[in-house]
Amino acid sequence: LQRRPKQLSGGRRQRVAMGRAIVRDPQVFLFDEPLSNLDAKLRGQMRIEIKRVHQQLKTTTVYVTHDQVEAMTLADRVVVMNDGLIEQVGTPGELYHQPKTRFVAGFIGSPAMNFLRCTLVQDSDNLAITVTDTLKLQIPVNRNRHYQPFVGRDLVLGIRPEHVHEKRSSSEHSAEVMVNFIEPLGMETMVYFTINGVEVCGRVSPEADPRPGQTASLSFDADKSHLIDPETDQVL
């Protein structure tokens, strides 16, 4: 209170500017990357404060950010834009679980979704996604009719790291992979490996104890995967 805004750091100026806007009690807030100059810890605290203020005031807020974590945690509805065009509008849950385009699928989620070239094939009475000679994922039966027109097409498989994990049962679709490196994060471990020249990220339990340079048996949740048309980048 004893200092002018020009005497404050960039992060403090941002917070003061937000406070000055909030106390005016406007009908609409427009926040343009208000947390960009803050460090990671303070940014997390400010996200909680903004959420609390919004719940108290219930004022319509348009919040512009390049940080998908901010968008997912703060928004009731998210508008994802790419090169000035709207890719998708929806709730955070809709964007995460039902992306409509490859851009949205890759932008929402951290680490980002994995993308692998694949082919959709007829496998007996069911459909399957062939990624490599040893990795074939059975399509859930309820998707067969929807995917039938794309049999024989070269497509892109999108699957999130949390849906690539250690093998937990004999019925799971799994593949033996060579671990390139790991990121131990305490409650989980990120595993990185290569399929068809593309780096893939998986999320396993620390108890799995993956080691760089060793093979690991990882399962792929086909029912949580997405198929993308590489010509249009639309999720099928």
Side-chain angles (χ1 to χ4, degrees):
L1 290 177
Q2 289 73 34
R3 286 184 284 176
R4 297 273 183 181
K6 67 180 180 180
Q7 298 173 299
L8 303 176
S9 65
R12 287 178 175 174
R13 287 190 195 186
Q14 281 188 306
R15 284 176 281 164
V16 168
M18 290 175 63
R20 293 170 70 181
I22 290 170
V23 298
R24 294 179 61 196
D25 193 24
Q27 292 183 312
V28 179
F29 290 125
L30 173 57
F31 290 147
D32 187 1
E33 298 192 68
L35 309 183
S36 58
N37 286 334
L38 307 184
D39 60 47
K41 182 178 180 181
L42 191 53
R43 181 176 297 193
Q45 294 174 348
M46 286 301 298
R47 280 203 303 265
I48 296 173
E49 289 300 323
I50 292 174
K51 191 84 170 181
R52 182 179 291 116
V53 168
H54 181 261
Q55 289 177 348
Q56 291 174 349
L57 301 180
K58 302 187 185 304
T59 304
T60 298
T61 303
V62 180
Y63 190 107
V64 182
T65 178
H66 288 86
D67 187 332
Q68 53 99 1
V69 174
E70 287 182 18
M72 293 288 284
T73 55
L74 290 175
D76 299 306
R77 291 179 66 78
V78 182
V79 180
V80 180
M81 301 188 71
N82 181 24
D83 290 333
L85 300 177
I86 294 176
E87 293 268 339
Q88 186 172 347
V89 181
T91 65
E94 288 171 346
L95 297 181
Y96 188 83
H97 296 290
Q98 297 148 8
K100 292 183 178 180
T101 68
R102 177 170 177 164
F103 178 84
V104 175
F107 180 73
I108 300 296
S110 181
M113 181 181 286
N114 302 299
F115 296 108
L116 294 164
R117 294 186 300 275
C118 68
T119 305
L120 186 63
V121 298
Q122 186 77 45
D123 186 20
S124 186
D125 295 332
N126 204 357
L127 300 182
I129 304 167
T130 300
V131 181
T132 68
D133 294 338
T134 58
L135 180 56
K136 180 183 288 188
L137 309 181
Q138 295 294 324
I139 293 290
V141 176
N142 60 354
R143 297 191 194 180
N144 276 3
R145 180 178 296 181
H146 181 70
Y147 285 159
Q148 191 67 47
F150 303 97
V151 170
R153 291 270 305 274
D154 290 332
L155 302 171
V156 174
L157 169 68
I159 188 166
R160 297 196 183 280
E162 56 265 37
H163 302 140
V164 180
H165 49 79
E166 67 274 18
K167 189 173 182 178
R168 297 164 183 163
S169 69
S170 58
S171 61
E172 292 181 334
H173 308 295
S174 63
E176 295 291 326
V177 301
M178 177 67 70
V179 178
N180 294 334
F181 60 94
I182 64 172
E183 286 183 327
L185 301 177
M187 63 180 295
E188 61 191 9
T189 298
M190 311 308 295
V191 177
Y192 294 85
F193 54 96
T194 303
I195 294 180
N196 290 340
V198 177
E199 186 172 82
V200 181
C201 177
R203 180 174 287 171
V204 303
S205 165
E207 287 74 23
D209 195 25
R211 301 291 179 88
Q214 296 182 358
T215 59
S217 183
L218 298 181
S219 294
F220 294 70
D221 294 338
D223 58 333
K224 301 292 180 62
S225 65
H226 302 274
L227 284 178
I228 301 166
D229 185 342
E231 296 180 3
T232 63
D233 278 347
Q234 297 292 311
V235 176
L236 302 182

